[in-house]
Amino acid sequence: MPCEVTRTTLRAMTHLPPPAEELRLVDAELWQLDARRSQLLIRRAWLVAALNQTPWQSRAQASTRPPAAASRPETAAPSVQNVLLVLGGVLLTLAAAVFTLVSWGHMGIAGRALVLGAVTLATLAAPVVLLKRGLRSTAESVAGLGLALTVLDAYALHAAALSGTDGTGYAAAASAVLAVAWSVYGLLPVTAALRLPLPCALSVAQFPLLLWALSADASAYAITAALLVTAGLDAVAVARLTAGAVRITAVVGAYGTGGWGALGAGWLSLTADGPADASRAGALLLLAAAIALGAARRGPGVTHALGLAITAGLLAVAALGGVARSGLPSPWAVPAHLAAGIALLAVVRVERLPDAMRRGFAWASGAVQALAVLWTLPVVAVVLLGPAGRLGRVWSGAPADARAAVAADVPWPADAALAPLVLVAVAAVLAVAVRAQEWRGRARLGAAGLLWAAALTLPAVFEAPYVAGLLVLGVVTAVALYACRVTEGAAQVTALVLALVTAAGLLLVSLASQSATLIVLSVLTAAFAAASWRADVAPFTAPAALVHAAALASASGAAADWPPARTALPVLVVAGAAALLAARLGGSRTTVPVEATGAAVGLFAVALALSDPPMLALVLALCGVIAAGTALRDGRRPAGYAATALFVLAAWVRLAAWDVDTPEAYTLPVTVPALLVGALHRRRDPQVSSWTAYGPGLAVTLLPSLVATWADPYWTRPLLLGGAALLVTLLGARHHLQAPLVLGGSALALVTLHELAPYVVQVTGALPRWAPPALAGLLLLALGATYEQRIRDVRRVREALGRMD
């Protein structure tokens, strides 16, 4: 720079580039450096991963790898510490137990007291020092050892100074003292941080009352009371304690002792000999219920409270029902418990109770009612299924009463006299007590079902006359069918099921008497037919009416001393009525069930006629007429095949009944309809092959006739068969039809061969032995000479046949 330039001039010079531009350039450069560094880091990570996946890298490359990460320890340090502390405490406890049991007798009284007192006090005092130094886990282990030493002290005291006392009583007192001592030790300010003493104290506190009752040779009632009182104290502890190990211990103790106490009280109630014992057992059950109810009211959660409320309700019912049962006859046992269960519903109405308790009582009442209904099921089952035993001796005579009618082959349940009362009571509760909108409809359906069961059992329970039992079942069926007409939805379905089941039971009961069977079947047929006027139940009631009508026809034939084959005709009338009804119904939902029922009735008629071939042929023909009439309806064309098969079967059965053994008599009734159907088919669709149209019909007659011809020594059959085959062949040639030409020509050739066979054999026997080979050789020479011409002729014949249909 020239010396003439002044300092002021230098300060006024402009930077190249300007500061703002230079700052931008620096920032851009730094950004590029950061981007490049990120790329290099990504590349480096990929290279490290690639090197780790290739173990065959060279030693020089392996030396550049980063050091491997240190292996992760499998066990944390606190876990190792706890294991060591627990193991040490167990070993020390075992050593102390061995010392007490083995070495105790080698020391004097003063030495024993000095050793035990010093060791126990030192062990219990050690956690105080350890807690001050922050060694909490070690303090817990030492405290556990100290608690174990106190148990050994109690044992040593009994073995040395109090060996003459009762062991069970001493154990009760020792457990109570230990519980108090451990509680005080756990509540001291210097040891309050320890978590082990209080749960141990609560665990030992479960035994004093039970051991005291056992030591006093108390009765089972006192032992049960001791368990329940202990459970009550545990429940109080649960309500007063906060969450933690102590509270969990109290919960376990409450459920354990309370459960055994409730089971013991229930067993005492069941085995009570009189009202006094039942009252004492009931008091214990009420005590258990009160404990459960108190725990439910102060429980921590809704589910916990609900379960305890249900338990309390069931225990209260068992208590009241057991007391009532002891003073009532045995049939009243279940109604007594049911009354107590229904009485629980009054508590549900108390608004001041928590919602969980009210719902628990409602569930308990429902459980009692469900058990009561289950008790009545054997009676209902006997009433419904018992009459089935009369199927093997139909019309053996009217029984003495309704109970004899249903309990013919099964024993009548004991103490079932009040089953209808139980069913009616539960039905009344369902109809009145259930008020929730979402459950009210289901409750009413359940009530209807229970009333139905009660009505069914009433005649048998009260041994009503046989006719009265039939009338009750008939009225119940009529009421159920009427309910089908006036209800909708689930109620209608329920009523329909009840109607069908009751009708089946009524029919089974009526089988004892011939007149009762006929009257019941007539009434049921009319009742189900009348109910079928409603379209939504007709798919079920109309088939039921047809079934009862078929049974009525069969029973009427049996009452008239008709053979079964003759009875098939009035049964077949029902099948015809079903076909006419289906035609009248058209596209209704009832059509298919009615048609299926009619087909089943037709098969039943065929089964009845199997013993009489002429009658069987008539029944088959009539079934064919019904099927043909069905095939005339739209959408029922396939029934025509069944009609054809039935007509053919009818013809065959009739021919067999006439002792006809000519095969053409059986085949021609099939061939003629088959050829007519084939002709109609080709007339509608000219593209149909002649084999499809005429092949089956022609084969049905030609093949059996050919077989019969070869075994027939007379000339009549071959002549007629040959003429028929010639006619079929000419018709096939005239109309260019392949199937008649081939089948007729083949049959004609075989018939001709059969007729010429004797002459061929005769001529062959008259010729010299060298003549047949010579003739065969000449034939071969002639064929060889005209081989090419014969091939052309055969090809021409094949093409001609191919041009035919």
Coordinates of all heavy atoms in Angstrom, one line a residue, residues 217-275:
D217 N -62.1 -78.5 73.0 CA -63.0 -79.6 72.5 C -64.4 -79.0 72.2 O -65.5 -79.6 72.5 CB -63.1 -80.7 73.5 CG -61.8 -81.5 73.6 OD1 -61.1 -81.5 72.6 OD2 -61.5 -82.0 74.7
A218 N -64.4 -77.9 71.5 CA -65.7 -77.2 71.2 C -66.4 -78.0 70.1 O -65.9 -78.8 69.4 CB -65.4 -75.8 70.8
S219 N -67.7 -77.7 70.0 CA -68.5 -78.3 69.0 C -68.2 -77.8 67.6 O -67.5 -76.8 67.5 CB -70.0 -78.2 69.3 OG -70.3 -76.8 69.3
A220 N -68.8 -78.4 66.6 CA -68.6 -77.9 65.2 C -69.2 -76.5 65.1 O -68.6 -75.7 64.3 CB -69.3 -78.8 64.2
Y221 N -70.2 -76.2 65.8 CA -70.8 -74.8 65.7 C -69.8 -73.8 66.3 O -69.6 -72.7 65.7 CB -72.1 -74.7 66.5 CG -73.1 -75.6 66.0 CD1 -73.3 -76.9 66.5 CD2 -74.0 -75.2 65.0 CE1 -74.3 -77.8 66.0 CE2 -75.0 -76.0 64.4 CZ -75.1 -77.3 65.0 OH -76.1 -78.1 64.4
A222 N -69.1 -74.1 67.4 CA -68.1 -73.2 67.9 C -66.9 -73.0 67.0 O -66.4 -71.9 66.8 CB -67.7 -73.6 69.3
I223 N -66.4 -74.1 66.4 CA -65.3 -74.0 65.5 C -65.7 -73.2 64.3 O -64.9 -72.3 63.9 CB -64.9 -75.4 65.1 CG1 -64.3 -76.2 66.3 CG2 -63.8 -75.4 64.0 CD1 -64.0 -77.6 66.1
T224 N -66.9 -73.4 63.8 CA -67.3 -72.6 62.6 C -67.4 -71.1 63.0 O -67.1 -70.2 62.3 CB -68.7 -73.1 62.1 OG1 -68.5 -74.5 61.8 CG2 -69.1 -72.3 60.9
A225 N -68.0 -70.9 64.2 CA -68.1 -69.5 64.7 C -66.7 -68.8 64.8 O -66.5 -67.6 64.5 CB -68.8 -69.4 66.0
A226 N -65.7 -69.6 65.3 CA -64.3 -69.0 65.4 C -63.8 -68.6 64.1 O -63.2 -67.6 63.9 CB -63.4 -70.1 66.1
L227 N -64.0 -69.5 63.1 CA -63.6 -69.1 61.7 C -64.3 -67.9 61.2 O -63.7 -67.0 60.6 CB -63.9 -70.3 60.8 CG -63.0 -71.6 60.9 CD1 -63.5 -72.7 60.1 CD2 -61.5 -71.2 60.6
L228 N -65.6 -67.8 61.5 CA -66.3 -66.6 60.9 C -65.9 -65.3 61.7 O -65.8 -64.3 61.1 CB -67.8 -66.9 61.1 CG -68.4 -68.0 60.2 CD1 -69.9 -68.2 60.5 CD2 -68.2 -67.6 58.7
V229 N -65.7 -65.4 63.0 CA -65.2 -64.3 63.7 C -63.9 -63.8 63.2 O -63.6 -62.6 63.1 CB -65.2 -64.5 65.2 CG1 -64.6 -63.4 66.0 CG2 -66.6 -64.7 65.7
T230 N -63.0 -64.7 63.0 CA -61.7 -64.4 62.4 C -61.9 -63.7 61.1 O -61.2 -62.7 60.8 CB -60.8 -65.6 62.3 OG1 -60.7 -66.3 63.6 CG2 -59.4 -65.3 61.8
A231 N -62.8 -64.2 60.2 CA -63.0 -63.6 58.9 C -63.6 -62.2 59.1 O -63.2 -61.3 58.3 CB -64.0 -64.5 58.1
G232 N -64.4 -62.0 60.1 CA -65.0 -60.7 60.3 C -63.9 -59.7 60.8 O -63.9 -58.5 60.3
L233 N -63.0 -60.1 61.6 CA -61.9 -59.3 62.0 C -61.0 -58.9 60.8 O -60.5 -57.8 60.7 CB -61.0 -59.9 63.1 CG -61.8 -60.2 64.5 CD1 -60.9 -60.9 65.4 CD2 -62.2 -58.8 65.0
D234 N -60.8 -59.9 60.0 CA -60.0 -59.7 58.7 C -60.7 -58.6 57.9 O -60.1 -57.8 57.2 CB -59.8 -61.0 58.0 CG -58.8 -61.9 58.7 OD1 -57.9 -61.4 59.4 OD2 -58.9 -63.1 58.5
A235 N -62.0 -58.8 57.8 CA -62.8 -57.8 57.0 C -62.7 -56.4 57.5 O -62.6 -55.4 56.8 CB -64.3 -58.2 56.9
V236 N -62.7 -56.3 58.9 CA -62.5 -55.0 59.5 C -61.1 -54.4 59.1 O -60.9 -53.2 58.8 CB -62.7 -55.1 61.0 CG1 -62.3 -53.7 61.7 CG2 -64.1 -55.4 61.3
A237 N -60.1 -55.3 59.2 CA -58.8 -54.9 58.8 C -58.7 -54.4 57.4 O -58.0 -53.4 57.1 CB -57.8 -56.0 59.1
V238 N -59.3 -55.1 56.5 CA -59.3 -54.7 55.1 C -60.0 -53.4 54.9 O -59.5 -52.5 54.1 CB -60.1 -55.8 54.3 CG1 -60.3 -55.3 52.8 CG2 -59.4 -57.1 54.2
A239 N -61.0 -53.1 55.7 CA -61.7 -51.8 55.5 C -60.9 -50.6 56.1 O -61.0 -49.5 55.6 CB -63.1 -51.8 56.2
R240 N -60.0 -50.9 57.1 CA -59.3 -49.8 57.7 C -57.9 -49.7 57.1 O -57.3 -48.6 57.3 CB -59.2 -50.1 59.2 CG -60.5 -50.0 59.9 CD -60.3 -50.2 61.4 NE -61.6 -50.0 62.1 CZ -62.1 -48.8 62.5 NH1 -61.3 -47.7 62.3 NH2 -63.2 -48.7 63.1
L241 N -57.3 -50.7 56.5 CA -56.0 -50.6 56.0 C -55.9 -50.0 54.6 O -56.9 -50.1 53.8 CB -55.3 -52.0 56.0 CG -55.1 -52.6 57.4 CD1 -54.6 -54.0 57.2 CD2 -54.1 -51.8 58.2
T242 N -54.8 -49.4 54.2 CA -54.6 -48.9 52.9 C -54.0 -50.0 52.1 O -53.6 -51.1 52.6 CB -53.7 -47.7 52.9 OG1 -52.5 -48.0 53.6 CG2 -54.4 -46.5 53.7
A243 N -53.8 -49.7 50.8 CA -53.2 -50.7 49.9 C -51.8 -51.1 50.3 O -51.0 -50.2 50.8 CB -53.2 -50.2 48.4
G244 N -51.4 -52.3 50.2 CA -50.1 -52.8 50.5 C -50.2 -54.3 50.9 O -51.2 -54.9 50.8
A245 N -49.0 -54.7 51.4 CA -48.9 -56.2 51.7 C -49.8 -56.5 52.9 O -50.4 -57.6 52.9 CB -47.4 -56.5 52.0
V246 N -50.0 -55.6 53.8 CA -50.8 -55.9 55.0 C -52.3 -56.1 54.5 O -53.0 -57.0 55.0 CB -50.7 -54.8 56.0 CG1 -51.5 -55.1 57.3 CG2 -49.2 -54.5 56.4
R247 N -52.7 -55.2 53.7 CA -54.1 -55.3 53.2 C -54.3 -56.6 52.4 O -55.4 -57.2 52.5 CB -54.5 -54.1 52.4 CG -56.0 -53.9 52.2 CD -56.2 -52.5 51.5 NE -57.6 -52.2 51.6 CZ -58.6 -52.7 50.8 NH1 -58.2 -53.5 49.8 NH2 -59.8 -52.3 50.9
I248 N -53.4 -56.9 51.5 CA -53.5 -58.2 50.7 C -53.5 -59.4 51.7 O -54.3 -60.3 51.5 CB -52.3 -58.3 49.8 CG1 -52.4 -57.2 48.7 CG2 -52.3 -59.6 49.1 CD1 -51.2 -57.1 47.8
T249 N -52.7 -59.4 52.7 CA -52.8 -60.5 53.7 C -54.1 -60.6 54.4 O -54.7 -61.7 54.6 CB -51.7 -60.3 54.7 OG1 -50.4 -60.2 54.1 CG2 -51.6 -61.5 55.7
A250 N -54.7 -59.4 54.7 CA -56.0 -59.4 55.3 C -57.1 -59.9 54.4 O -58.0 -60.6 54.8 CB -56.3 -58.0 55.8
V251 N -57.0 -59.5 53.1 CA -58.0 -60.0 52.1 C -57.9 -61.5 52.0 O -58.9 -62.2 52.0 CB -57.8 -59.3 50.8 CG1 -58.6 -60.0 49.7 CG2 -58.1 -57.8 50.9
V252 N -56.7 -62.0 51.9 CA -56.5 -63.5 51.7 C -57.1 -64.2 53.0 O -57.8 -65.2 52.9 CB -55.1 -63.8 51.5 CG1 -54.8 -65.3 51.5 CG2 -54.6 -63.3 50.2
G253 N -56.8 -63.7 54.1 CA -57.3 -64.3 55.4 C -58.8 -64.2 55.4 O -59.4 -65.2 55.9
A254 N -59.4 -63.1 55.0 CA -60.9 -63.0 55.1 C -61.5 -64.0 54.2 O -62.5 -64.7 54.6 CB -61.3 -61.6 54.7
Y255 N -61.0 -64.1 52.9 CA -61.6 -65.0 52.0 C -61.4 -66.5 52.5 O -62.3 -67.3 52.3 CB -61.1 -64.8 50.6 CG -61.8 -63.7 49.9 CD1 -61.1 -62.5 49.6 CD2 -63.1 -63.9 49.4 CE1 -61.8 -61.5 48.9 CE2 -63.7 -62.9 48.7 CZ -63.1 -61.7 48.5 OH -63.7 -60.7 47.8
G256 N -60.2 -66.8 53.0 CA -59.9 -68.1 53.4 C -60.7 -68.6 54.5 O -61.5 -69.6 54.5
T257 N -60.6 -67.9 55.7 CA -61.4 -68.3 56.8 C -62.9 -68.1 56.6 O -63.7 -69.0 57.1 CB -60.9 -67.5 58.1 OG1 -61.1 -66.1 57.7 CG2 -59.5 -67.7 58.4
G258 N -63.3 -67.1 55.9 CA -64.7 -66.9 55.7 C -65.3 -68.0 54.8 O -66.4 -68.4 55.0
G259 N -64.5 -68.4 53.8 CA -65.0 -69.4 52.9 C -65.2 -70.8 53.6 O -66.2 -71.4 53.5
W260 N -64.2 -71.1 54.5 CA -64.3 -72.4 55.2 C -65.4 -72.3 56.3 O -66.2 -73.3 56.5 CB -63.0 -72.7 55.9 CG -62.0 -73.3 55.0 CD1 -60.8 -72.7 54.5 CD2 -62.0 -74.6 54.4 NE1 -60.2 -73.5 53.7 CE2 -60.9 -74.7 53.6 CE3 -62.9 -75.6 54.4 CZ2 -60.6 -75.8 52.9 CZ3 -62.6 -76.8 53.7 CH2 -61.5 -76.9 52.9
G261 N -65.6 -71.1 56.9 CA -66.7 -71.0 57.8 C -68.0 -71.1 57.2 O -68.9 -71.7 57.7
A262 N -68.2 -70.5 56.0 CA -69.5 -70.5 55.3 C -69.8 -71.9 54.9 O -71.0 -72.4 55.0 CB -69.5 -69.6 54.1
L263 N -68.8 -72.6 54.4 CA -69.0 -74.0 54.0 C -69.4 -74.9 55.2 O -70.3 -75.8 55.1 CB -67.8 -74.6 53.3 CG -67.5 -74.1 51.9 CD1 -66.1 -74.6 51.4 CD2 -68.6 -74.4 50.9
G264 N -68.7 -74.7 56.3 CA -69.0 -75.4 57.5 C -70.4 -75.1 58.0 O -71.2 -76.0 58.4
A265 N -70.9 -73.9 57.9 CA -72.2 -73.5 58.4 C -73.3 -74.1 57.4 O -74.3 -74.6 57.9 CB -72.3 -72.0 58.4
G266 N -73.0 -74.1 56.2 CA -73.9 -74.7 55.2 C -74.1 -76.2 55.4 O -75.2 -76.8 55.4
W267 N -73.0 -76.9 55.7 CA -73.0 -78.3 56.0 C -73.8 -78.6 57.3 O -74.6 -79.5 57.3 CB -71.6 -78.9 56.1 CG -71.6 -80.3 56.5 CD1 -71.2 -80.9 57.7 CD2 -71.9 -81.4 55.6 NE1 -71.3 -82.2 57.7 CE2 -71.8 -82.6 56.4 CE3 -72.4 -81.5 54.3 CZ2 -72.0 -83.9 55.9 CZ3 -72.6 -82.8 53.8 CH2 -72.5 -84.0 54.6
L268 N -73.6 -77.8 58.3 CA -74.3 -77.9 59.5 C -75.8 -77.7 59.3 O -76.7 -78.4 59.9 CB -73.8 -77.0 60.6 CG -72.4 -77.3 61.1 CD1 -71.9 -76.1 62.0 CD2 -72.3 -78.6 61.8
S269 N -76.2 -76.8 58.4 CA -77.6 -76.5 58.2 C -78.2 -77.7 57.4 O -79.4 -78.1 57.7 CB -77.7 -75.2 57.3 OG -79.1 -75.0 57.0
L270 N -77.5 -78.3 56.5 CA -78.0 -79.4 55.7 C -78.2 -80.7 56.6 O -79.1 -81.5 56.4 CB -77.1 -79.7 54.6 CG -77.1 -78.7 53.4 CD1 -76.1 -79.1 52.4 CD2 -78.5 -78.7 52.8
T271 N -77.3 -80.9 57.6 CA -77.3 -82.1 58.4 C -78.0 -81.8 59.7 O -77.9 -82.7 60.6 CB -75.9 -82.6 58.6 OG1 -75.1 -81.5 59.2 CG2 -75.3 -83.0 57.3
A272 N -78.7 -80.7 59.9 CA -79.4 -80.4 61.2 C -80.5 -81.4 61.5 O -81.2 -81.8 60.6 CB -79.9 -79.0 61.2
D273 N -80.5 -81.9 62.7 CA -81.5 -82.9 63.1 C -82.9 -82.3 63.5 O -83.9 -83.0 63.6 CB -81.0 -83.7 64.2 CG -79.8 -84.6 63.8 OD1 -79.7 -84.9 62.6 OD2 -78.9 -84.9 64.6
G274 N -82.9 -81.0 63.9 CA -84.1 -80.4 64.4 C -84.1 -78.9 64.3 O -83.1 -78.3 63.8
P275 N -85.1 -78.3 64.7 CA -85.2 -76.8 64.6 C -84.1 -76.1 65.4 O -83.6 -75.1 65.0 CB -86.6 -76.5 65.2 CG -87.4 -77.7 65.0 CD -86.4 -78.8 65.2

